[in-house]
Amino acid sequence: MSDCLFCKIAAGEIPSTKVYEDEKVYAFLDIEPKAPFHAIVIPKKHIKSAAEINEDNSGEISAVFKAVSEIAKRENLENGFRVVNNCGADGGQTVGHIHFHLLAGRSLAWPPG
Ligand code: 5GP
Ligand code: ZN
């Protein structure tokens, strides 16, 4: 996707603070953090939203969650963390490339607003 913000970030065309990268996944710090640690974890492959996950691309999502586990170890998130996916307009998704917020470093309220 040539005009996608997160595709450009994953390709290094737009700068970001990288926290993790492998063949399938890129993770970087959120520009407007909602917790002391707030990373955005994305598949490098462009998938629009969680509503588009299917048999053909679910390996990318599996790789994202393996990366989350690895980031949690590297960043010492032993007190716990939250993974959030906002999907579509009502879900609050503002960037049309599937992404998972990894939030940690404070006690997080439940249920969310
Ligand atoms: P959404 O609201 O779609 O679930 O999450 C999009 C997230 O991307 C927001 O938390 C927002 O702060 C973050 N974001 C938007 N643009 C940029 C950017 O250019 N760089 C970084 N690092 N984060 C961004
Ligand atoms: Zn994209």
Side-chain angles (χ1 to χ4, degrees), residues 3-49:
D3 205 27
C4 169
L5 174 65
F6 285 176
C7 279
K8 286 180 180 165
I9 285 180
E13 291 164 18
I14 290 175
S16 65
T17 304
K18 177 164 86 172
V19 296
Y20 177 88
E21 183 172 16
D22 65 31
E23 190 194 332
K24 289 189 166 176
V25 178
Y26 188 78
F28 54 101
L29 294 182
D30 196 292
I31 206 164
E32 281 182 48
K34 317 296 187 292
F37 181 83
H38 184 175
I40 298 284
V41 190
I42 62 172
K44 289 181 175 176
K45 181 174 174 177
H46 184 86
I47 299 168
K48 207 166 123 191
S49 78

Side-chain angles (χ1 to χ4, degrees), residues 42-88:
I42 62 172
K44 289 181 175 176
K45 181 174 174 177
H46 184 86
I47 299 168
K48 207 166 123 191
S49 78
E52 311 274 318
I53 297 170
N54 57 39
E55 198 64 46
D56 293 334
N57 63 25
S58 57
E60 317 300 319
I61 306 306
S62 162
V64 162
F65 278 85
K66 276 195 265 180
V68 164
S69 170
E70 178 60 26
I71 295 164
K73 289 186 188 82
R74 291 186 190 178
E75 301 288 338
N76 301 311
L77 307 183
E78 62 276 348
N79 271 358
F81 56 84
R82 181 170 295 165
V83 179
V84 174
N85 170 255
N86 297 328
C87 178

